Every structure is written in C-alpha cells, then in structure tokens.
Amino acid sequence: LSTPSDPTAALVEADVLGIFGKYGVRLAAYWAQPVDDSGNLTPAAEAFRMYRNYDDAGSTFGTVSVGAATSLPGVAVYAARDDAASVVRIAIINKTQDALTPTLDILSFDAAPTATRWRWTAAAGGTLAAASDVAVTNGKATLDLPAQSMTLVVIPRQ
C-alpha cells in the first residue's frame, strides 16, 4: 500500500477520483495531512488538485462526466465537460513504468486546434504544472505520457 507521501499515491488517488466522477459519487474527502513538513502538497493531494484547481485559478475538471476509454494496459482515462459543453477535460493516468505516445481520439466534440495540458510525474516528484500545448487535428491529438504520470488535457470547443 502507498502512503500519502509515496509518489504513486497520486496515481492511485487520481484513478479513484476519476472512478468516483464516472459513477456519480458526489463527495470525496482527503483525511490525511495534504502538505508535507515543508508545506508542499503531498502526491495524493496533487491528484485532488488536478480535478479541483489544476491551474491555481479555480479551474475544475468539469460538471458532466462523458465517455472515455482506453485499450492501453495500465492506463486510465476519464473525461468531463462543463455545463455549457464549451470545454472537455480529459484526465489520463499512466500507471506503468513506461513512457507512452498514444493518439487521443476526440469524438462527438468540435475541438479547437490547440489544447492545453497539465502534468504531474512521479519521477519529478513535484507539482502539477502546465506542460506544452497539444495540437488537435481532425479530432486527434498525439500525446506523450511519461511513466507514472497524470496528464490533464483541456480542449476548448472550436
């Protein structure tokens, strides 16, 4: 089992929170100290941040769960949109020891040509942070998923 300070706790917590959203759980609580002795968020608290305040400006994952699936072993994917259906956010959790480069297929949504991305990796052991933008062409985007990482892709409607 992982502890809140174990880097893999972020991946476990992100997966659990994604499952909660997918199945309509309305409340999740974090019962451990969310910061370490230096005042930094623990890895598990970073997972909550990915869904509840990824940009430190109050942006959240979304209010309406939408279908998302993957055939990649060791990878979980969850998606949600805002009430106006103007933005889709996709959380991708790579629980494997390998970096992956999957293609994201965005169906039933008129995606803008550029999506923003936020990332946390166990190797960096740090903070969820903005990563490079992703090009979206004809509803497809190629992603790089570092080993043991959480990636949030924010796709506005065109």
Side-chain angles (χ1 to χ4, degrees):
L1 294 175
S2 65
T3 64
S5 61
D6 180 345
T8 59
L11 307 177
V12 171
E13 193 68 43
D15 200 11
V16 168
L17 292 171
I19 292 167
F20 284 178
K22 180 177 179 178
Y23 291 103
V25 174
R26 301 285 182 198
L27 176 68
Y30 187 69
W31 292 101
Q33 178 73 8
V35 295
D36 63 18
D37 292 339
S38 301
N40 301 312
L41 284 179
T42 62
E46 288 286 348
F48 268 89
R49 184 171 163 241
M50 182 175 73
Y51 289 105
R52 301 303 308 154
N53 186 21
Y54 60 87
D55 61 358
D56 288 331
S59 294
T60 63
F61 186 61
T63 54
V64 179
S65 178
V66 295
T70 181
S71 60
L72 296 171
V75 175
V77 62
Y78 305 98
R81 65 169 176 80
D82 61 348
D83 285 331
S86 63
V87 178
V88 168
R89 292 173 182 88
I90 303 169
I92 306 160
I93 305 150
N94 180 4
K95 300 176 272 187
T96 74
Q97 298 289 331
D98 301 314
L100 304 170
T101 55
T103 297
L104 179 66
D105 290 321
I106 306 154
L107 307 174
S108 303
F109 185 76
D110 188 21
T114 303
T116 58
R117 181 169 45 171
W118 299 81
R119 172 168 295 143
W120 179 94
T121 63
T127 303
L128 183 71
S132 60
D133 288 349
V134 177
V136 179
T137 306
N138 297 322
K140 295 184 183 297
T142 300
L143 300 175
D144 61 308
L145 303 176
Q148 295 188 310
S149 65
M150 303 183 301
T151 300
L152 179 66
V153 181
V154 181
I155 309 165
R157 181 176 294 285
Q158 184 161 339

